[in-house]
């Protein structure tokens, strides 16, 4: 056999073995590499909407009683009631009580034809035109007045109360002038006028009393 051909055959076999070894090496290396995990395709996620807070239910408003259309007419501030009896009451407190005010008060009571009731210690004034009777008593308990018309040797009067006892309330409501005139005349001696609750009374309030009397007279 030709030696050249023998050399070529040996070289071809060596080349084939080298190729086989290379292929085996590549396969073994690929087998040793860890397989990378295939991540599943991310599913399209819709971001969750935050929960909308539910507003608290406001408490039901408390029921307010409906205002009544009719309200009782206020009672006059000069008027006081004692059981079934109604009476008008005013006070005149003297600012400088003394012998002079005693004299002036006695003279004023004489001008109004006042009668002294020694049993009760009060002066009474009857006015037939007004239709009621006034009682002038002491503003201090027990309410008795000395007979100041008898002279200067009587105790000093510090104030008086003017009372009107009546059964028919309309008598005073229609004719308050006598009450107002006597009260203001006593106050002119030097004093101030108070109502039944000892609050000051102004001339404007007396004028209002007159206006009420005029309205009451026009309605009847």
């Amino acid at each position: 056999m030709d030696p050249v051909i023998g050399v070529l055959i040996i070289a071809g076999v060596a080349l084939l073995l080298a190729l086989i070894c290379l292929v085996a090496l590549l396969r073994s290396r690929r087998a040793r590499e860890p397989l990378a995990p295939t991540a599943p395709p991310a599913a399209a996620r819709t971001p969750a909407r935050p929960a909308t807070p539910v507003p608290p239910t406001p408490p039901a408003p408390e029921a307010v009683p409906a205002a009544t259309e009719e309200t009782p007419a206020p009672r006059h501030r000069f008027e006081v009631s004692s059981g079934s009896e109604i009476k008008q009451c005013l006070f005149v407190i003297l600012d400088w009580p003394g012998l002079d005010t005693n004299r002036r008060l006695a003279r004023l009571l004489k001008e109004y034809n006042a009668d002294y009731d020694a049993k009760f210690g009060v002066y009474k004034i009857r006015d037939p035109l007004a239709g009621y009777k006034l009682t002038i008593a002491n503003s201090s308990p027990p309410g008795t007045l000395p007979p100041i018309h008898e002279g200067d040797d009587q105790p000093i009067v510090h104030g008086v109360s003017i009372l009107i006892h009546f059964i028919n309330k309309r008598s005073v409501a229609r004719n308050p002038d006598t009450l107002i005139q006597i009260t203001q005349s006593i106050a002119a001696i030097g004093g101030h006028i108070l109502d039944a609750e000892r609050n000051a009374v102004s001339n404007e309030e007396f004028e209002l009393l007159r206006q009420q009397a005029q309205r009451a007279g026009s309605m009847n």
Side-chain angles (χ1 to χ4, degrees), residues 80-189:
V80 294
S81 300
S82 177
S84 59
E85 182 184 24
I86 302 174
K87 61 183 179 182
Q88 207 86 357
C89 180
L90 288 169
F91 295 94
V92 177
I93 307 302
L94 299 175
D95 297 327
W96 303 282
L99 183 59
D100 179 64
T101 54
N102 266 29
R103 292 172 180 172
R104 295 175 64 183
L105 179 59
R107 186 162 53 249
L108 179 64
L109 293 173
K110 183 178 180 180
E111 292 175 0
Y112 279 98
N113 298 317
D115 295 324
Y116 184 72
D117 188 335
K119 179 180 179 180
F120 296 100
V122 296
Y123 286 88
K124 295 181 179 179
I125 300 175
R126 292 177 174 82
D127 187 345
L129 295 178
Y132 52 84
K133 178 178 63 178
L134 289 86
T135 299
I136 312 298
N138 200 321
S139 60
S140 301
T144 56
L145 281 174
I148 54 177
H149 63 283
E150 293 183 356
D152 295 343
D153 56 344
Q154 303 298 328
I156 301 300
V157 177
H158 291 78
V160 298
S161 58
I162 301 97
L163 304 173
I164 302 177
H165 300 263
F166 55 95
I167 299 175
N168 187 357
K169 183 178 178 180
R170 295 181 180 179
S171 297
V172 179
R174 293 176 180 175
N175 303 284
D177 287 336
T178 300
L179 169 67
I180 296 173
Q181 289 174 3
I182 293 177
T183 303
Q184 291 180 333
S185 297
I186 297 174
I189 295 175

Side-chain angles (χ1 to χ4, degrees), residues 9-34:
I9 292 173
I10 294 171
V13 172
L15 181 59
L16 179 60
L17 292 174
L19 290 175
I20 293 172
C21 291
L22 179 61
V23 171
L25 180 62
L26 291 176
R27 285 183 177 179
S28 63
R29 182 177 295 179
R30 183 175 296 178
R32 287 196 302 267
E33 292 179 356

